[in-house]
Amino acid sequence: MQIVLHRPAFADLHPDTTQATYSPMTGTLLTLGHGYCATALADRLLPTGWQILGTARTPEGCSALAEQGITPVPWRPDVLKFALSQVSHVLVSAGPKDAADPSLEAIGLALAERAKDLEWVGYLSTTGVYGDQDGAWIDEDCELRPSTKRGQSRLRAEQAWQAIPDLPLHIFRLAGIYGPGRGPFAKVRNGTARRIIKPDQVFSRVHVEDIAQVLHTSMLMPEPGDIFNVCDDEPAPPQDVIQLAAELLNLPVPPAVPIDEVEMTPMARSFYSENKRVSNKRLKEELGIELKYPDYRVGLKALLAQETADE
């Protein structure tokens, strides 16, 4: 598929978007940064009649989106502005780079001009904005004190999006994401998995399908200003997850290794520098969410069953 980077070509890709009509249950969504979470959301929305416009930075990426039934939007400010004019909803999953938000850099002014016309804007952030809480339970009202550069950049991005007047913004602070293609099984199979031990360390997690469920539900019942932690019910030590993965595969459990004896990338070590238990109470109470994968045990068993069925 050849992508021509100018506005008429974009309109030709999906001509009826210029006269789109919306019902309370469907609309047209622009995903700024069409990655893992946006793909899971698209899989949920497309069968229900939603139109989805997704960004890509290469012709190959545009072709891949088109094959999934998504209208590809090349990442160029003029094309992005035109795409924005065609939609009712926006999902922002492109993270900040070099302390700047790429979406706001490209179309921040256009977003401000169109803010009152949009029905819903979702921003995917991270629970890293809470920083280290020494293993305590935290909720959305907890003090924001990110200790890593990644968490600090996310907090600045959240604040930049919140500063746009009249934008129907919803912020989703995601825990560690896993799902199809993103689980511990591959590392256990190839022998690279490690059970890294840091006493009392826990992480919160969430299955990508539950992220999609949360986003979809919020889109159907928008409440601008909402902020939700998106995580499962059970923060757990990372070594327990690796152990279960090995047991499910009937493979030897990797030996435990103290964290002080492990070589890690700065990014990996930064995750271990923060310890907290993230509450999803607000998510359940205000959106009525019932998680499909309430803990890592349910999630890993389902992933392995899906892998087996696909073989």
Side-chain angles (χ1 to χ4, degrees), residues 6 70 92 148-149 164 178 197 201 203 216 240 245 301:
H6 57 76
I70 296 166
V92 187
T148 65
K149 289 184 178 180
I164 300 176
Y178 74 100
I197 307 298
Q201 178 77 40
F203 292 129
H216 188 192
D240 291 2
K301 290 174 183 177

Side-chain angles (χ1 to χ4, degrees), residues 148-221:
T148 65
K149 289 184 178 180
R150 178 173 176 266
Q152 292 163 0
S153 294
R154 282 293 187 177
L155 178 55
R156 285 193 294 269
E158 282 189 16
Q159 293 168 340
W161 282 91
Q162 289 171 322
I164 300 176
D166 301 315
L167 193 72
L169 182 67
H170 305 69
I171 294 175
F172 303 90
R173 293 173 178 156
L174 309 182
I177 305 168
Y178 74 100
R182 284 196 186 183
F185 295 121
K187 289 185 177 180
V188 172
R189 287 187 178 107
N190 64 29
T192 61
R194 299 178 294 181
R195 293 178 60 242
I196 300 172
I197 307 298
K198 182 179 181 182
D200 302 320
Q201 178 77 40
V202 295
F203 292 129
S204 292
R205 300 166 182 79
V206 63
H207 194 289
V208 70
E209 290 183 18
D210 279 324
I211 295 174
Q213 176 192 184
V214 168
L215 296 176
H216 188 192
T217 303
S218 174
M219 293 164 73
L220 295 177
M221 43 190 297

Side-chain angles (χ1 to χ4, degrees), residues 28-104:
T28 301
L29 172 69
L30 171 63
T31 61
L32 295 169
H34 195 93
Y36 191 62
C37 293
T39 296
L41 178 61
D43 289 344
R44 186 180 179 96
L45 295 183
L46 286 171
T48 69
W50 280 76
Q51 297 178 7
I52 300 178
L53 287 63
T55 62
R57 292 183 178 271
T58 66
E60 294 78 14
C62 288
S63 295
L65 290 176
E67 291 173 2
Q68 299 168 43
I70 296 166
T71 300
V73 179
W75 191 281
R76 207 179 76 182
D78 59 336
V79 183
L80 292 173
K81 290 175 185 177
F82 179 65
L84 179 64
S85 72
Q86 307 300 304
V87 304
S88 55
H89 296 65
V90 178
L91 176 67
V92 187
S93 57
K97 296 180 179 179
D98 299 324
D101 187 285
S103 302
L104 292 180

